[in-house]
Amino acid sequence: MIDAHIHLEQYDSSVAEQMLSELPEHDIEALIAVSMNLDSCLRTEQLRAVYPRVIRAAYGFHPEQPLPSTEELKALLEWIGSRSTADFVAVGEIGLPYYSRAEALTRGEAFEMEPYIELLDTLLGLAARLDKPVVLHAVYEDALIACDLLEKHGIKHAHFHWFKGPEAAIMRMIARGYFISFTPDILYEADIQELARRYPPELVMAETDGPWPFEGVFAGRPTHPSMIHAVAEAWGAQHGYSPAKRKTY
């Protein structure tokens, strides 16, 4: 099992070390550790250097935050471009700010999307030049914009993490062979369960998006990579499979 999306560098260092030491007992082979900005990338790189067999690094700029300055973006692009292609597996997390935009509009504030679209365009261009897959934060109608840009840059290997979106986006993503992943909320969210039933199994992965917390049986518990077993079991239940022995999560 592989946790396809986790913000490992956002955990307290002692907590991260404990989790990493526990992975073998939970049959977790590796983690895809995504990054938020240049400082985050540096922390992810440091973790990868200590745990190279377990951590697969992804470097990028998360869209749910203020835009980087010109100097900050230049530094990030140069830093990622200077990494050995063997040092990281994807450009991510990158995408579009759906939730920040929704919150701003709810407050009655204007929100300029075009600069974020330009930023995503730039980061996808970098991924294309480096021949790297991308890890995307692009949900609901934003997924259609992301699809346009992926096609523009000829990027075929894309992972829409914790995806939810309209029918047009779902059909387009399936046709293009883009991956999605499910989090522990597949255990209790009906719309996510419906998506799990229809998205092609060969394009599905499991993630935690830790340290993001979850509800249901996981309420009040720190998010741990071992939770992907529950994700896989819940996904299997939507397809008529049942585990040989039910685990306690």
Side-chain angles (χ1 to χ4, degrees):
M1 296 287 288
I2 292 175
D3 186 340
H5 188 101
I6 186 171
H7 295 267
L8 190 62
E9 53 82 26
Q10 292 189 21
Y11 285 86
D12 180 83
S13 58
S14 61
V15 174
E17 290 172 6
Q18 179 67 25
M19 287 196 316
L20 290 165
S21 71
E22 294 168 349
L23 295 184
E25 67 186 77
H26 292 291
D27 297 321
I28 306 296
E29 177 184 343
L31 312 173
I32 307 298
V34 298
S35 306
M36 299 282 291
N37 50 40
L38 182 52
D39 287 343
S40 172
C41 288
L42 293 170
R43 293 194 296 274
T44 299
E45 183 183 51
Q46 291 170 354
L47 286 165
R48 187 202 64 80
V50 177
Y51 302 95
R53 294 185 178 181
V54 177
I55 297 174
R56 310 287 188 264
Y59 302 135
F61 188 91
H62 197 291
E64 300 284 359
Q65 60 183 321
L67 288 161
S69 67
T70 301
E71 294 75 17
E72 290 170 336
L73 179 57
K74 182 175 182 291
L76 175 65
L77 295 174
E78 290 179 348
W79 186 87
I80 296 176
S82 69
R83 300 301 97 188
S84 165
T85 55
D87 289 344
F88 68 110
V89 298
V91 173
E93 181 175 357
I94 61 177
L96 296 168
Y98 179 86
Y99 299 108
S100 297
R101 183 172 77 254
E103 290 171 3
L105 295 176
T106 297
R107 295 191 299 267
E109 301 171 1
F111 192 96
E112 293 294 329
M113 269 292 285
E114 193 58 37
Y116 284 94
I117 295 173
E118 292 175 0
L119 174 60
L120 177 56
D121 189 32
T122 297
L123 291 166
L124 289 175
L126 173 66
R129 291 194 298 276
L130 298 175
D131 192 26
K132 289 290 185 181
V134 293
V135 181
L136 290 164
H137 171 98
V139 296
Y140 301 110
E141 61 267 24
D142 288 354
L144 292 168
I145 301 174
C147 286
D148 288 341
L149 294 174
L150 288 169
E151 292 172 16
K152 171 185 174 181
H153 291 284
I155 295 175
K156 297 181 179 179
H157 302 296
H159 168 204
F160 287 72
H161 102 95
W162 204 342
F163 176 75
K164 47 285 238 183
E167 179 68 17
I170 294 170
M171 296 307 296
R172 190 170 173 185
M173 290 162 57
I174 291 173
R176 296 292 185 272
Y178 299 146
F179 285 81
I180 66 171
S181 53
F182 294 101
T183 72
D185 78 343
I186 192 176
L187 275 74
Y188 52 82
E189 292 287 356
D191 57 338
I192 298 298
Q193 293 168 355
E194 171 61 26
L195 179 61
R197 286 192 290 271
R198 59 179 307 206
Y199 212 85
E202 66 272 17
L203 299 177
V204 166
M205 298 185 287
E207 64 156 305
T208 60
D209 200 25
W212 188 269
F214 291 93
E215 302 172 12
V217 297
F218 300 115
R221 293 171 53 182
T223 299
H224 190 287
S226 62
M227 292 177 180
I228 61 173
H229 286 288
V231 174
E233 180 180 320
W235 178 90
Q238 298 302 317
H239 292 266
Y241 298 104
S242 59
K245 180 179 179 181
R246 181 168 295 276
K247 298 180 180 179
T248 301
Y249 297 104

